Amino acid sequence: MKHLLDSNTLIEAKNRYYSMSFCPAYWQWILMQNQALEVASISLVAEELGRGNDDLAQWSHDNRDMFLAVDDEATQQAYASIVASIAARAPQMKIGAFEDFLSGADPWLIAKAMATGAVVVTHESYDVNARRKFLIPNVCEEFHVSWINTFELLHKLDARFVLAG
């Protein structure tokens, strides 16, 4: 897989600009790109999405094949490297930032990208001064993992949502 989606890219799309009710083409495009081996996510993102009681939770449940497992050895080793690195930086962060980061899908998403050479797709922004939380782009930069946002992905993959008629 070439691009791995963070949960915030799917949540933001559903809540704001690509609502499932008025832009089903976006969600079909995601699945088509998954079939083309361009876009996926990880099982822990599916778990996060599944905690909701909405169309996105149902969509993630119905499309489980798009969410990759993280139990392979390469991902596990990459995750261990990430944990060691952020543990060393935890004292400079807000209390609880380390635990918060490890409790979600973010470190696993980055680890899967490291293991597969994928690009992480997130709406988080790089902030060298971040102390409140560990940001995906900051950790990606540390581990030389590429990252982009949803709109960059759409341009990169030449997405087109055209009205019929």
Side-chain angles (χ1 to χ4, degrees):
M1 211 45 61
K2 297 178 184 172
H3 303 89
L4 295 175
L5 303 175
D6 182 16
S7 57
N8 69 17
T9 63
L10 298 167
I11 293 167
E12 279 286 304
K14 183 219 32 135
N15 288 342
R16 299 185 69 199
Y17 35 80
Y18 298 123
S19 169
M20 295 177 148
S21 63
F22 70 77
C23 193
Y26 175 78
W27 304 95
Q28 293 166 349
W29 180 83
I30 293 274
L31 296 175
M32 287 173 44
Q33 293 304 313
N34 176 255
Q35 290 296 312
L37 303 179
E38 285 289 344
V39 172
S41 194
I42 60 168
S43 58
L44 294 165
V45 165
E47 288 176 20
E48 287 180 0
L49 300 176
R51 290 186 202 124
N53 187 22
D54 59 9
D55 291 341
L56 185 55
Q58 187 62 51
W59 182 87
S60 64
H61 177 75
D62 292 345
N63 296 290
R64 283 283 187 204
D65 291 346
M66 120 157 222
F67 299 93
L68 307 173
V70 294
D71 58 357
D72 57 283
E73 187 175 333
T75 301
Q76 296 287 317
Q77 289 176 352
Y79 179 79
S81 296
I82 291 169
V83 171
S85 175
I86 66 169
R89 291 189 295 131
Q92 299 143 0
M93 302 294 285
K94 174 184 164 192
I95 293 174
F98 177 70
E99 294 79 8
D100 285 346
F101 187 70
L102 294 184
S103 70
D106 294 354
W108 290 103
L109 186 71
I110 299 164
K112 190 67 168 181
M114 287 171 62
T116 62
V119 175
V120 173
V121 182
T122 183
H123 281 297
E124 291 184 10
S125 298
Y126 181 76
D127 181 358
V128 71
N129 297 314
R131 299 290 176 261
R132 185 178 59 83
K133 66 179 269 187
F134 287 96
L135 299 172
I136 289 173
N138 291 20
V139 178
C140 284
E141 287 290 319
E142 180 177 345
F143 287 93
H144 308 289
V145 173
S146 297
W147 57 275
I148 59 177
N149 66 39
T150 298
F151 305 108
E152 291 167 313
L153 175 70
L154 292 169
H155 286 289
K156 184 177 179 181
L157 298 182
D158 295 321
R160 299 283 181 263
F161 307 125
V162 180
L163 294 174

